[in-house]
Amino acid sequence: MRLINRILLTCGLLFAIAAPSVYAAEAEVTVRAILVSASKQPGETDRSLSRYESTLRRILRFESFSQLGSGSGRADIPGQGRVSLGQGQVLEFTTESSKDDRIRVQLDWRGGSRTFMRTGLVLRPGVPAVLGGPKRGDGSVYALLVIAE
């Protein structure tokens, strides 16, 4: 009887020590967002966006892109996070679940008191999602690259 109690106690202690580290490794995500201006005018794209230029061109069908701001936020899964983008814009996100390296998120992109977009996405780490936004005063439009890391 004592032997069984010791075995159970040892197993329980090992589980209590190991379990938090197993769950902590998968329990949070960093979301990076890049605020972009997309223009129909031919021109050079910012070097900082060169990695994403082909994706931006394919999805948005604009000629040139410039980075206006960026930021990142961290959240538990499930949980909530916030990314300050610059130019008074913010991306709030809620993580809902994670499966097979895919993270389901709800996004709320706002500028001041104006909501630009509310949507749900499934993000894969390192693969950018592109959101098209409202028109800017100079005729270009806002866009947002969202990347889970």
Side-chain angles (χ1 to χ4, degrees):
M1 188 65 148
R2 286 184 187 175
L3 179 61
I4 293 173
N5 285 342
R6 285 185 182 178
I7 291 172
L8 289 174
L9 180 62
T10 303
C11 289
L13 287 172
L14 289 173
F15 179 76
I17 291 168
S21 63
V22 169
Y23 290 116
E26 296 295 324
E28 67 179 26
V29 64
T30 297
V31 172
R32 188 164 51 101
I34 302 170
L35 183 61
V36 175
S37 172
S39 175
K40 293 275 188 190
Q41 300 299 321
E44 283 192 34
T45 295
D46 282 357
R47 298 181 90 197
S48 60
L49 296 173
S50 62
R51 179 177 176 187
Y52 308 110
E53 185 175 9
S54 63
T55 302
L56 288 165
R57 284 186 191 280
R58 187 180 75 246
I59 293 172
L60 297 176
R61 302 193 188 275
F62 283 80
E63 296 295 322
S64 60
F65 305 93
S66 56
Q67 182 172 329
L68 301 174
S70 67
S72 63
R74 199 173 198 90
D76 290 335
I77 302 174
Q80 296 180 334
R82 178 183 175 105
V83 180
S84 294
L85 302 167
Q87 303 215 349
Q89 297 188 31
V90 65
L91 177 69
E92 292 182 346
F93 62 95
T94 302
T95 60
E96 296 179 345
S97 63
S98 174
K99 182 179 179 184
D100 299 330
D101 258 2
R102 297 170 191 259
I103 301 155
R104 181 176 298 280
V105 295
Q106 294 295 321
L107 303 175
D108 186 6
W109 176 18
R110 291 179 298 160
S113 61
R114 185 175 171 200
T115 297
F116 296 146
M117 182 178 292
R118 281 191 180 130
T119 190
L121 296 173
V122 176
L123 299 174
R124 291 184 310 164
V127 179
V130 179
L131 304 177
K135 201 172 207 180
R136 301 180 65 215
D138 62 1
S140 63
V141 298
Y142 286 113
L144 192 62
L145 286 162
V146 181
I147 306 127
E149 297 177 336

